C-alpha cells in the first residue's frame, strides 16, 4: 500500500493536467458554440448531433482512435496529446447541450423585457440570458467534470499517465491495493472538482463574494500548478529519458521494469515508462519514435502487423520479422530474450483427463459443448482464425474477458477453454494444461527487445547494453517472475530486481 | 408626437394589423382597445420595433423609427407589459436602474432616480431597494415594472395591459396611482387593454380595434355619443351591463 501511495503525487498531477486542461478546452469550444447555436438557428441541430455522435463512441475507443489519427498527422501520437484531445471531445456534449437548453429556456417574457428596456443583443446575452442560464450551464460543466475525471483513467493505454495506471496495472497484476488507490483517488478528485465548480456557482448566484473569491482562487491555483508542472515536464532539460513501453499485462510490466533497471544499471541513463499501452498503440509509438524500446513477440508482429497467416519455424519467423521491421518501420531487434510467450489453448487438468484430450485436434468433436474465454484481442486475432480453420474447430461460446481474470474463470469452470499465455505461471498454479498445437496453427512468439532507429542513432550504448540480454531469460524464469507477481502479490519492480541480481551471480 | 401611417403586419396569410393610421398628441394617453386577436398588442410593439411592420411607417417626434437603432429607440421609450418581466437575478433597484445604466448614468444618479421612482409608485425605497423580484407581491412587481419603464425619463410610454393580471382591488389602486403619475409627469402614452372600464378611466382618446382594423377613434364621450357600429356600442355598454347584472343577482339574493 505504501509503495502505491508513493506513486500518488505523480499520477495525481498527471491526472489533473489531463482533466483540467481537457475541461478548459471543452468549455472553450462548447460555450461559444452553444451561444452561437442559440443565435444562428441552423447551427443548433448539427452541432448537437455531432457532439452526441462523439458521445456514443465508447470512451476507450475514442482515446485509442486518436493514436492513428495523430500519427497520420505526424503529431505526438501517444502520451498527453491523444488523451487530451479525446477527453476534450468527450466533454463537449454536456456543456454544449446545457448551454443551448439554458439559454433557450430563459423565459420569453424576460427576453422581451430585455429588448424593451433597450438592451443590444450582446447586452441581452451578457446581462440577462447568460446569468439566467448559468445554473444549467454550470450543471453541464459539472457533468463534464465528473465524466472527464473518470474517463481520464482510461488514458493509460494511449500512453498518458493518470490515476488509471493504478487501475490497469493493478487489475493485470492482481494488485487490488493499487486498484483501490486508483479508484478512490479518482472518485475523491471528481467529488472535489465538482464541489469546486458548485461553490463557484452558488457564490455567484447568492452573491457571496468571499465564496466566489475562495473558489476562484483554488481553481486558479489548480490551473497554475497544472500548467506549470506540464510546462516543466515539456521543457525538461538535461538528457531526454529513454522511453520504455509496456503493454497491459503482467509479463510486460515485469519486462519494462527489467529493461528500466538494466538500462539504468548498465548505462546510467534516465528512463521513463509508459505502461499499459494497447498492442497497436505500443507498436505505432515505437515506429513513430515516441517510445524507444519495448518487448514484443515475433508472432504478434508476424500475424498482426505483417498479416501473415502461414507458419514458419522460430528462426524463420524471427528473421522474416526482423527484416520486415527494419525495412518498413525503422525498428531494430536489440535482443531475443530466449523465451516464447505464445498463445495456447488451455483447459483444466481434470477435464482434459476425463474427456481424454491432450491435443487441440482432440477438440473439434466436442466443440459445440465447449465454451472458451479469450483475452480482449484473442478472438479477433489471426491466430484464432488459423486455429478455427486448421482444426475445423467450432465452439458453443466465445467469451471475451480480461486476461487477468481468464485463468480463474477456467479454474472455476466458468469456461472450458482459455487462450492462455505459455509463460503465464498461473497455468500450473491453477491446475491447467496447455493443449498441444499438433498441426502447428499458432506461430512462434519469441520475445524480442525492439528498439527504434532513433534510439540506435542517439544512444548506441543503450542498444548495445540491451543486446547483452540476448538469450538470458528462459521460459521457466519468465513463468516464475509472472507467478511471483500474479499469485505472490509481489511488485514487478522487486521481481525484476531479484532476477537481475540472479543474472549477475 | 407619435404618428402611425398605413401600418400593416402580415403573418403568413393572416393580416394582424391592416393599414392602420393614427396620431398621438404630445401628453396624450391613447388607449388601444379590442379583444384578443384585434391587433392591439402588435400595433403597440411596432412602435418600439419589438415587431417590425410589413409595411407602413411609425414616426416619433418626426423621426422614422425604422431609421433608428432599435436599442437606442427603446431606451427613449418606456415599456411595461402584463408579465412585467422583472429580471429575477437582479435586485429591485437594479431592475429599475437598468435603462439609465445602459445609457451610462453615474451610480449616484441612478440611485437617486431609483429612490424617486420607488416613492412615485408608492413603494418604500428602504424596504424594497435590495429585494429580489420574487420577494414582491404581484401588485408590487407591477409597480416596480412601471417604475422601470419610467426610469430614463422617457417622453413616450407604451403599456400593454400592465394591470391585466392583478386582482380587482389591486388593479384599481394601481390605476389610481397611474393617473396621478401621468398627471405629474405628463408623458405621452399608448395603453393597450381589453377592459372597457379601464379604457374609459385612463384614456384621453380610445382607438377601437377589431381584426386588425381600426373601427373608431375618439374621446370617450364621442364614442358614447356616436358609436360607429354595433360592435363599438356593445363594447361601450359592457360596464353598464355588468353593473346591471350584479344588481339583479344581488336583488335576487335579497328576495330569496
Amino acid at each position: 500500500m505504501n509503495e502505491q501511495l508513493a506513486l500518488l503525487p505523480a499520477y495525481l498531477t498527471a491526472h489533473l493536467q489531463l482533466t483540467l486542461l481537457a475541461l478548459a478546452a471543452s468549455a472553450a469550444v462548447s460555450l461559444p458554440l452553444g451561444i452561437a447555436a442559440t443565435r444562428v438557428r441552423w447551427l443548433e441541430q448539427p452541432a448537437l448531433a455531432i457532439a452526441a455522435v462523439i458521445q456514443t463512441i465508447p470512451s476507450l475507443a475514442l482515446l485509442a482512435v486518436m493514436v492513428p489519427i495523430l500519427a497520420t498527422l505526424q503529431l505526438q501520437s501517444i502520451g498527453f496529446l491523444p488523451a487530451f484531445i479525446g477527453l476534450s471531445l468527450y466533454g463537449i456534449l454536456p456543456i454544449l447541450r446545457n448551454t443551448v437548453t439554458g439559454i433557450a429556456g430563459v423565459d420569453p417574457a424576460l427576453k422581451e423585457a430585455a429588448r424593451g428596456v433597450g438592451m443590444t443583443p450582446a447586452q441581452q446575452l451578457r446581462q440577462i440570458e447568460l446569468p439566467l442560464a448559468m445554473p444549467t450551464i454550470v450543471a453541464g460543466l459539472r457533468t463534464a467534470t465528473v465524466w472527464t475525471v473518470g474517463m481520464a483513467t482510461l488514458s493509460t493505454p494511449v500512453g498518458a499517465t493518470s490515476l488509471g495506471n493504478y487501475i490497469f496495472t493493478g487489475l493485470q497484476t492482481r494488485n487490488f491495493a493499487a486498484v483501490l488507490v486508483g479508484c478512490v483517488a479518482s472518485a475523491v478528485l471528481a467529488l472535489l472538482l465538482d464541489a469546486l465548480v458548485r461553490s463557484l456557482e452558488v457564490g455567484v448566484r447568492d452573491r457571496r463574494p468571499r465564496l466566489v473569491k475562495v473558489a476562484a482562487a483554488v481553481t486558479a491555483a489548480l490551473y497554475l500548478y497544472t500548467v506549470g508542472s506540464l510546462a516543466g515536464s515539456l521543457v525538461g532539460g538535461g538528457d531526454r529519458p529513454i522511453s520504455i513501453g509496456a503493454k497491459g499485462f503482467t509479463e510486460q510490466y515485469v519486462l519494462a521494469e527489467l529493461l528500466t533497471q538494466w538500462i539504468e544499471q548498465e548505462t546510467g541513463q534516465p528512463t521513463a515508462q509508459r505502461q499499459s499501452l494497447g498492442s497497436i498503440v505500443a507498436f505505432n509509438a515505437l515506429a513513430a519514435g515516441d517510445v524507444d524500446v519495448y518487448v514484443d513477440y515475433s508472432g504478434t508482429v508476424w500475424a498482426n502487423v505483417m498479416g501473415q497467416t502461414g507458419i514458419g519455424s522460430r528462426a524463420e519467423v524471427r528473421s522474416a520479422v526482423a527484416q520486415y521491421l527494419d525495412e518498413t518501420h525503422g525498428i531494430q531487434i536489440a535482443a531475443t530474450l530466449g523465451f516464447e510467450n505464445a498463445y495456447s489453448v488451455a483447459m483444466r487438468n481434470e477435464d482434459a483427463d476425463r474427456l481424454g484430450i491432450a491435443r487441440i485436434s482432440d477438440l473439434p468433436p466436442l466443440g459445440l459443448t465447449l465454451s472458451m474465454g479469450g483475452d480482449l484481442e484473442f478472438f479477433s486475432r489471426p491466430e484464432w482464425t488459423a486455429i478455427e480453420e486448421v482444426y475445423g474447430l467450432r465452439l458453443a461460446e466465445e467469451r471475451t474477458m480480461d486476461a487477468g481474470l481468464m485463468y480463474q474463470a477456467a479454474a472455476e469452470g466458468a469456461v472450458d477453454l482459455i487462450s492462455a499465455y505459455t509463460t503465464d505461471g498461473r497455468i500450473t498454479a491453477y491446475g491447467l494444461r496447455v493443449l498441444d498445437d499438433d498441426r502447428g496453427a499458432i506461430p512462434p512468439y519469441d520475445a524480442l527487445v525492439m528498439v527504434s532507429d532513433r534510439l540506435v542513432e542517439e544512444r548506441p550504448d543503450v542498444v548495445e547494453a540491451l543486446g547483452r540480454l540476448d538469450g538470458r531469460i528462459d521460459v521457466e524464469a519468465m513463468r516464475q517472475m509472472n507467478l511471483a507477481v500474479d499469485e505472490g502479490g509481489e511488485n514487478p519492480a522487486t521481481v525484476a530486481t531479484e532476477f537481475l541480481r540472479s543474472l549477475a551471480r | 408626437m407619435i404618428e402611425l401611417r398605413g401600418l400593416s403586419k402580415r403573418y403568413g396569410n393572416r393580416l394582424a394589423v391592416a393599414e392602420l393610421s393614427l396620431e398621438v398628441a404630445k401628453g396624450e394617453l391613447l388607449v388601444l382597445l379590442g379583444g384578443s386577436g384585434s391587433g392591439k398588442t402588435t400595433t403597440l410593439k411596432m412602435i418600439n420595433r419589438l415587431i417590425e411592420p410589413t409595411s407602413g411607417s411609425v414616426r416619433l417626434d418626426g423621426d422614422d423609427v425604422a431609421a433608428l437603432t432599435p436599442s437606442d429607440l427603446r431606451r427613449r421609450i418606456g415599456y411595461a407589459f402584463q408579465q412585467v418581466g422583472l429580471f429575477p437575478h437582479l435586485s429591485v433597484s437594479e431592475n429599475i436602474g437598468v435603462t439609465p445604466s445602459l445609457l451610462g448614468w453615474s451610480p449616484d444618479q441612478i440611485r437617486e432616480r431609483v429612490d424617486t421612482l420607488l416613492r412615485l409608485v408608492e413603494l418604500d425605497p428602504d424596504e424594497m431597494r435590495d429585494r429580489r423580484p420574487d420577494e414582491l407581491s404581484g401588485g408590487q412587481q407591477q409597480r416596480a415594472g412601471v417604475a422601470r419603464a419610467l426610469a430614463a425619463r422617457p417622453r413616450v410610454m407604451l403599456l400593454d395591459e400592465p394591470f391585466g393580471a392583478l386582482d380587482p382591488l389591486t388593479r384599481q389602486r394601481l390605476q389610481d396611482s397611474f393617473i396621478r403619475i401621468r398627471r405629474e409627469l405628463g408623458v405621452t402614452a399608448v395603453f393597450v387593454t381589453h377592459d372597457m372600464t379601464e379604457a374609459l378611466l385612463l384614456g384621453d382618446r380610445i382607438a377601437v380595434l377589431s381584426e386588425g382594423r381600426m373601427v373608431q377613434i375618439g374621446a370617450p364621450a364621442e364614442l358614447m355619443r356616436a358609436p360607429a357600429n354595433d360592435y363599438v356600442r356593445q363594447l361601450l355598454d359592457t360596464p353598464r351591463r355588468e353593473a346591471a347584472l350584479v344588481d339583479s343577482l344581488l336583488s335576487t339574493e335579497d328576495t330569496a
Side-chain angles (χ1 to χ4, degrees), chain A residues 382-397:
Chain A
E383 289 89 339
W384 175 237
T385 318
I387 294 173
E388 280 184 308
E389 280 171 7
V390 170
Y391 292 98
L393 182 60
R394 295 289 173 276
L395 297 174
E397 195 188 6

mmCIF file with all atom_site columns, all heavy atoms in Angstrom, chain A residues 382-397:
data_model
loop_
_atom_site.group_PDB
_atom_site.id
_atom_site.type_symbol
_atom_site.label_atom_id
_atom_site.label_alt_id
_atom_site.label_comp_id
_atom_site.label_asym_id
_atom_site.label_entity_id
_atom_site.label_seq_id
_atom_site.pdbx_PDB_ins_code
_atom_site.Cartn_x
_atom_site.Cartn_y
_atom_site.Cartn_z
_atom_site.occupancy
_atom_site.B_iso_or_equiv
_atom_site.pdbx_formal_charge
_atom_site.auth_seq_id
_atom_site.auth_comp_id
_atom_site.auth_asym_id
_atom_site.auth_atom_id
_atom_site.pdbx_PDB_model_num
ATOM 1   N N   . PRO A 1 382 ? -5.555  -13.166 -35.924 1.00 0.00 ? 382 PRO A N   1
ATOM 2   C CA  . PRO A 1 382 ? -5.394  -14.162 -36.984 1.00 0.00 ? 382 PRO A CA  1
ATOM 3   C C   . PRO A 1 382 ? -5.119  -15.568 -36.425 1.00 0.00 ? 382 PRO A C   1
ATOM 4   O O   . PRO A 1 382 ? -5.488  -16.556 -37.058 1.00 0.00 ? 382 PRO A O   1
ATOM 5   C CB  . PRO A 1 382 ? -4.187  -13.668 -37.784 1.00 0.00 ? 382 PRO A CB  1
ATOM 6   C CG  . PRO A 1 382 ? -3.863  -12.322 -37.294 1.00 0.00 ? 382 PRO A CG  1
ATOM 7   C CD  . PRO A 1 382 ? -4.634  -12.037 -36.074 1.00 0.00 ? 382 PRO A CD  1
ATOM 8   N N   . GLU A 1 383 ? -4.479  -15.631 -35.239 1.00 0.00 ? 383 GLU A N   1
ATOM 9   C CA  . GLU A 1 383 ? -4.188  -16.954 -34.663 1.00 0.00 ? 383 GLU A CA  1
ATOM 10  C C   . GLU A 1 383 ? -5.457  -17.744 -34.432 1.00 0.00 ? 383 GLU A C   1
ATOM 11  O O   . GLU A 1 383 ? -5.501  -18.954 -34.642 1.00 0.00 ? 383 GLU A O   1
ATOM 12  C CB  . GLU A 1 383 ? -3.447  -16.823 -33.325 1.00 0.00 ? 383 GLU A CB  1
ATOM 13  C CG  . GLU A 1 383 ? -2.031  -16.352 -33.443 1.00 0.00 ? 383 GLU A CG  1
ATOM 14  C CD  . GLU A 1 383 ? -1.934  -14.844 -33.413 1.00 0.00 ? 383 GLU A CD  1
ATOM 15  O OE1 . GLU A 1 383 ? -2.947  -14.169 -33.703 1.00 0.00 ? 383 GLU A OE1 1
ATOM 16  O OE2 . GLU A 1 383 ? -0.830  -14.334 -33.137 1.00 0.00 ? 383 GLU A OE2 1
ATOM 17  N N   . TRP A 1 384 ? -6.480  -17.066 -33.962 1.00 0.00 ? 384 TRP A N   1
ATOM 18  C CA  . TRP A 1 384 ? -7.732  -17.755 -33.676 1.00 0.00 ? 384 TRP A CA  1
ATOM 19  C C   . TRP A 1 384 ? -8.376  -18.245 -34.974 1.00 0.00 ? 384 TRP A C   1
ATOM 20  O O   . TRP A 1 384 ? -8.838  -19.375 -35.067 1.00 0.00 ? 384 TRP A O   1
ATOM 21  C CB  . TRP A 1 384 ? -8.681  -16.841 -32.888 1.00 0.00 ? 384 TRP A CB  1
ATOM 22  C CG  . TRP A 1 384 ? -10.049 -17.455 -32.660 1.00 0.00 ? 384 TRP A CG  1
ATOM 23  C CD1 . TRP A 1 384 ? -11.241 -16.917 -33.028 1.00 0.00 ? 384 TRP A CD1 1
ATOM 24  C CD2 . TRP A 1 384 ? -10.350 -18.705 -32.041 1.00 0.00 ? 384 TRP A CD2 1
ATOM 25  N NE1 . TRP A 1 384 ? -12.264 -17.742 -32.680 1.00 0.00 ? 384 TRP A NE1 1
ATOM 26  C CE2 . TRP A 1 384 ? -11.747 -18.864 -32.066 1.00 0.00 ? 384 TRP A CE2 1
ATOM 27  C CE3 . TRP A 1 384 ? -9.573  -19.726 -31.477 1.00 0.00 ? 384 TRP A CE3 1
ATOM 28  C CZ2 . TRP A 1 384 ? -12.394 -19.985 -31.558 1.00 0.00 ? 384 TRP A CZ2 1
ATOM 29  C CZ3 . TRP A 1 384 ? -10.218 -20.844 -30.967 1.00 0.00 ? 384 TRP A CZ3 1
ATOM 30  C CH2 . TRP A 1 384 ? -11.617 -20.972 -31.009 1.00 0.00 ? 384 TRP A CH2 1
ATOM 31  N N   . THR A 1 385 ? -8.348  -17.373 -35.975 1.00 0.00 ? 385 THR A N   1
ATOM 32  C CA  . THR A 1 385 ? -8.856  -17.780 -37.286 1.00 0.00 ? 385 THR A CA  1
ATOM 33  C C   . THR A 1 385 ? -8.103  -19.018 -37.778 1.00 0.00 ? 385 THR A C   1
ATOM 34  O O   . THR A 1 385 ? -8.706  -19.973 -38.290 1.00 0.00 ? 385 THR A O   1
ATOM 35  C CB  . THR A 1 385 ? -8.661  -16.633 -38.299 1.00 0.00 ? 385 THR A CB  1
ATOM 36  O OG1 . THR A 1 385 ? -8.994  -15.412 -37.659 1.00 0.00 ? 385 THR A OG1 1
ATOM 37  C CG2 . THR A 1 385 ? -9.505  -16.824 -39.533 1.00 0.00 ? 385 THR A CG2 1
ATOM 38  N N   . ALA A 1 386 ? -6.761  -18.992 -37.571 1.00 0.00 ? 386 ALA A N   1
ATOM 39  C CA  . ALA A 1 386 ? -5.948  -20.131 -38.006 1.00 0.00 ? 386 ALA A CA  1
ATOM 40  C C   . ALA A 1 386 ? -6.348  -21.400 -37.256 1.00 0.00 ? 386 ALA A C   1
ATOM 41  O O   . ALA A 1 386 ? -6.516  -22.463 -37.870 1.00 0.00 ? 386 ALA A O   1
ATOM 42  C CB  . ALA A 1 386 ? -4.466  -19.822 -37.784 1.00 0.00 ? 386 ALA A CB  1
ATOM 43  N N   . ILE A 1 387 ? -6.526  -21.291 -35.947 1.00 0.00 ? 387 ILE A N   1
ATOM 44  C CA  . ILE A 1 387 ? -6.928  -22.465 -35.165 1.00 0.00 ? 387 ILE A CA  1
ATOM 45  C C   . ILE A 1 387 ? -8.271  -22.994 -35.670 1.00 0.00 ? 387 ILE A C   1
ATOM 46  O O   . ILE A 1 387 ? -8.466  -24.186 -35.886 1.00 0.00 ? 387 ILE A O   1
ATOM 47  C CB  . ILE A 1 387 ? -7.027  -22.118 -33.663 1.00 0.00 ? 387 ILE A CB  1
ATOM 48  C CG1 . ILE A 1 387 ? -5.646  -21.769 -33.109 1.00 0.00 ? 387 ILE A CG1 1
ATOM 49  C CG2 . ILE A 1 387 ? -7.634  -23.275 -32.859 1.00 0.00 ? 387 ILE A CG2 1
ATOM 50  C CD1 . ILE A 1 387 ? -5.663  -21.264 -31.684 1.00 0.00 ? 387 ILE A CD1 1
ATOM 51  N N   . GLU A 1 388 ? -9.222  -22.075 -35.875 1.00 0.00 ? 388 GLU A N   1
ATOM 52  C CA  . GLU A 1 388 ? -10.549 -22.471 -36.351 1.00 0.00 ? 388 GLU A CA  1
ATOM 53  C C   . GLU A 1 388 ? -10.449 -23.209 -37.681 1.00 0.00 ? 388 GLU A C   1
ATOM 54  O O   . GLU A 1 388 ? -11.097 -24.230 -37.886 1.00 0.00 ? 388 GLU A O   1
ATOM 55  C CB  . GLU A 1 388 ? -11.429 -21.227 -36.531 1.00 0.00 ? 388 GLU A CB  1
ATOM 56  C CG  . GLU A 1 388 ? -12.035 -20.709 -35.259 1.00 0.00 ? 388 GLU A CG  1
ATOM 57  C CD  . GLU A 1 388 ? -12.971 -19.524 -35.532 1.00 0.00 ? 388 GLU A CD  1
ATOM 58  O OE1 . GLU A 1 388 ? -12.519 -18.578 -36.206 1.00 0.00 ? 388 GLU A OE1 1
ATOM 59  O OE2 . GLU A 1 388 ? -14.130 -19.567 -35.097 1.00 0.00 ? 388 GLU A OE2 1
ATOM 60  N N   . GLU A 1 389 ? -9.588  -22.677 -38.575 1.00 0.00 ? 389 GLU A N   1
ATOM 61  C CA  . GLU A 1 389 ? -9.514  -23.259 -39.914 1.00 0.00 ? 389 GLU A CA  1
ATOM 62  C C   . GLU A 1 389 ? -8.718  -24.564 -39.936 1.00 0.00 ? 389 GLU A C   1
ATOM 63  O O   . GLU A 1 389 ? -9.161  -25.571 -40.490 1.00 0.00 ? 389 GLU A O   1
ATOM 64  C CB  . GLU A 1 389 ? -8.908  -22.255 -40.890 1.00 0.00 ? 389 GLU A CB  1
ATOM 65  C CG  . GLU A 1 389 ? -9.948  -21.239 -41.346 1.00 0.00 ? 389 GLU A CG  1
ATOM 66  C CD  . GLU A 1 389 ? -9.331  -20.106 -42.143 1.00 0.00 ? 389 GLU A CD  1
ATOM 67  O OE1 . GLU A 1 389 ? -8.119  -20.175 -42.461 1.00 0.00 ? 389 GLU A OE1 1
ATOM 68  O OE2 . GLU A 1 389 ? -10.069 -19.139 -42.435 1.00 0.00 ? 389 GLU A OE2 1
ATOM 69  N N   . VAL A 1 390 ? -7.538  -24.508 -39.318 1.00 0.00 ? 390 VAL A N   1
ATOM 70  C CA  . VAL A 1 390 ? -6.652  -25.684 -39.373 1.00 0.00 ? 390 VAL A CA  1
ATOM 71  C C   . VAL A 1 390 ? -7.314  -26.894 -38.696 1.00 0.00 ? 390 VAL A C   1
ATOM 72  O O   . VAL A 1 390 ? -7.236  -28.011 -39.180 1.00 0.00 ? 390 VAL A O   1
ATOM 73  C CB  . VAL A 1 390 ? -5.295  -25.367 -38.727 1.00 0.00 ? 390 VAL A CB  1
ATOM 74  C CG1 . VAL A 1 390 ? -4.461  -26.642 -38.560 1.00 0.00 ? 390 VAL A CG1 1
ATOM 75  C CG2 . VAL A 1 390 ? -4.548  -24.345 -39.566 1.00 0.00 ? 390 VAL A CG2 1
ATOM 76  N N   . TYR A 1 391 ? -7.989  -26.650 -37.570 1.00 0.00 ? 391 TYR A N   1
ATOM 77  C CA  . TYR A 1 391 ? -8.576  -27.767 -36.826 1.00 0.00 ? 391 TYR A CA  1
ATOM 78  C C   . TYR A 1 391 ? -10.065 -27.958 -37.110 1.00 0.00 ? 391 TYR A C   1
ATOM 79  O O   . TYR A 1 391 ? -10.675 -28.898 -36.614 1.00 0.00 ? 391 TYR A O   1
ATOM 80  C CB  . TYR A 1 391 ? -8.388  -27.557 -35.320 1.00 0.00 ? 391 TYR A CB  1
ATOM 81  C CG  . TYR A 1 391 ? -6.941  -27.648 -34.883 1.00 0.00 ? 391 TYR A CG  1
ATOM 82  C CD1 . TYR A 1 391 ? -6.177  -26.506 -34.704 1.00 0.00 ? 391 TYR A CD1 1
ATOM 83  C CD2 . TYR A 1 391 ? -6.345  -28.892 -34.677 1.00 0.00 ? 391 TYR A CD2 1
ATOM 84  C CE1 . TYR A 1 391 ? -4.855  -26.586 -34.316 1.00 0.00 ? 391 TYR A CE1 1
ATOM 85  C CE2 . TYR A 1 391 ? -5.017  -28.989 -34.288 1.00 0.00 ? 391 TYR A CE2 1
ATOM 86  C CZ  . TYR A 1 391 ? -4.275  -27.834 -34.111 1.00 0.00 ? 391 TYR A CZ  1
ATOM 87  O OH  . TYR A 1 391 ? -2.970  -27.922 -33.730 1.00 0.00 ? 391 TYR A OH  1
ATOM 88  N N   . GLY A 1 392 ? -10.649 -27.014 -37.852 1.00 0.00 ? 392 GLY A N   1
ATOM 89  C CA  . GLY A 1 392 ? -12.087 -27.084 -38.090 1.00 0.00 ? 392 GLY A CA  1
ATOM 90  C C   . GLY A 1 392 ? -12.868 -26.992 -36.788 1.00 0.00 ? 392 GLY A C   1
ATOM 91  O O   . GLY A 1 392 ? -13.884 -27.642 -36.585 1.00 0.00 ? 392 GLY A O   1
ATOM 92  N N   . LEU A 1 393 ? -12.372 -26.161 -35.873 1.00 0.00 ? 393 LEU A N   1
ATOM 93  C CA  . LEU A 1 393 ? -12.954 -26.090 -34.532 1.00 0.00 ? 393 LEU A CA  1
ATOM 94  C C   . LEU A 1 393 ? -14.113 -25.080 -34.485 1.00 0.00 ? 393 LEU A C   1
ATOM 95  O O   . LEU A 1 393 ? -13.993 -23.945 -34.915 1.00 0.00 ? 393 LEU A O   1
ATOM 96  C CB  . LEU A 1 393 ? -11.862 -25.673 -33.532 1.00 0.00 ? 393 LEU A CB  1
ATOM 97  C CG  . LEU A 1 393 ? -12.256 -25.580 -32.064 1.00 0.00 ? 393 LEU A CG  1
ATOM 98  C CD1 . LEU A 1 393 ? -12.757 -26.919 -31.546 1.00 0.00 ? 393 LEU A CD1 1
ATOM 99  C CD2 . LEU A 1 393 ? -11.066 -25.093 -31.235 1.00 0.00 ? 393 LEU A CD2 1
ATOM 100 N N   . ARG A 1 394 ? -15.255 -25.530 -33.988 1.00 0.00 ? 394 ARG A N   1
ATOM 101 C CA  . ARG A 1 394 ? -16.398 -24.631 -33.763 1.00 0.00 ? 394 ARG A CA  1
ATOM 102 C C   . ARG A 1 394 ? -16.834 -24.798 -32.325 1.00 0.00 ? 394 ARG A C   1
ATOM 103 O O   . ARG A 1 394 ? -17.047 -25.925 -31.876 1.00 0.00 ? 394 ARG A O   1
ATOM 104 C CB  . ARG A 1 394 ? -17.570 -24.970 -34.688 1.00 0.00 ? 394 ARG A CB  1
ATOM 105 C CG  . ARG A 1 394 ? -17.319 -24.753 -36.162 1.00 0.00 ? 394 ARG A CG  1
ATOM 106 C CD  . ARG A 1 394 ? -17.247 -23.267 -36.533 1.00 0.00 ? 394 ARG A CD  1
ATOM 107 N NE  . ARG A 1 394 ? -16.846 -23.090 -37.922 1.00 0.00 ? 394 ARG A NE  1
ATOM 108 C CZ  . ARG A 1 394 ? -15.568 -23.093 -38.326 1.00 0.00 ? 394 ARG A CZ  1
ATOM 109 N NH1 . ARG A 1 394 ? -14.601 -23.244 -37.447 1.00 0.00 ? 394 ARG A NH1 1
ATOM 110 N NH2 . ARG A 1 394 ? -15.272 -22.938 -39.597 1.00 0.00 ? 394 ARG A NH2 1
ATOM 111 N N   . LEU A 1 395 ? -16.974 -23.674 -31.618 1.00 0.00 ? 395 LEU A N   1
ATOM 112 C CA  . LEU A 1 395 ? -17.309 -23.751 -30.190 1.00 0.00 ? 395 LEU A CA  1
ATOM 113 C C   . LEU A 1 395 ? -18.738 -23.300 -29.934 1.00 0.00 ? 395 LEU A C   1
ATOM 114 O O   . LEU A 1 395 ? -19.348 -22.608 -30.751 1.00 0.00 ? 395 LEU A O   1
ATOM 115 C CB  . LEU A 1 395 ? -16.357 -22.859 -29.389 1.00 0.00 ? 395 LEU A CB  1
ATOM 116 C CG  . LEU A 1 395 ? -14.881 -23.243 -29.446 1.00 0.00 ? 395 LEU A CG  1
ATOM 117 C CD1 . LEU A 1 395 ? -14.063 -22.197 -28.724 1.00 0.00 ? 395 LEU A CD1 1
ATOM 118 C CD2 . LEU A 1 395 ? -14.663 -24.622 -28.839 1.00 0.00 ? 395 LEU A CD2 1
ATOM 119 N N   . ALA A 1 396 ? -19.245 -23.684 -28.753 1.00 0.00 ? 396 ALA A N   1
ATOM 120 C CA  . ALA A 1 396 ? -20.588 -23.253 -28.377 1.00 0.00 ? 396 ALA A CA  1
ATOM 121 C C   . ALA A 1 396 ? -20.593 -21.767 -28.053 1.00 0.00 ? 396 ALA A C   1
ATOM 122 O O   . ALA A 1 396 ? -21.541 -21.057 -28.354 1.00 0.00 ? 396 ALA A O   1
ATOM 123 C CB  . ALA A 1 396 ? -21.069 -24.055 -27.166 1.00 0.00 ? 396 ALA A CB  1
ATOM 124 N N   . GLU A 1 397 ? -19.492 -21.282 -27.439 1.00 0.00 ? 397 GLU A N   1
ATOM 125 C CA  . GLU A 1 397 ? -19.493 -19.898 -26.991 1.00 0.00 ? 397 GLU A CA  1
ATOM 126 C C   . GLU A 1 397 ? -18.077 -19.354 -26.939 1.00 0.00 ? 397 GLU A C   1
ATOM 127 O O   . GLU A 1 397 ? -17.156 -20.052 -26.523 1.00 0.00 ? 397 GLU A O   1
ATOM 128 C CB  . GLU A 1 397 ? -20.113 -19.820 -25.591 1.00 0.00 ? 397 GLU A CB  1
ATOM 129 C CG  . GLU A 1 397 ? -20.482 -18.425 -25.177 1.00 0.00 ? 397 GLU A CG  1
ATOM 130 C CD  . GLU A 1 397 ? -20.910 -18.366 -23.702 1.00 0.00 ? 397 GLU A CD  1
ATOM 131 O OE1 . GLU A 1 397 ? -20.810 -19.377 -22.994 1.00 0.00 ? 397 GLU A OE1 1
ATOM 132 O OE2 . GLU A 1 397 ? -21.322 -17.274 -23.282 1.00 0.00 ? 397 GLU A OE2 1
#
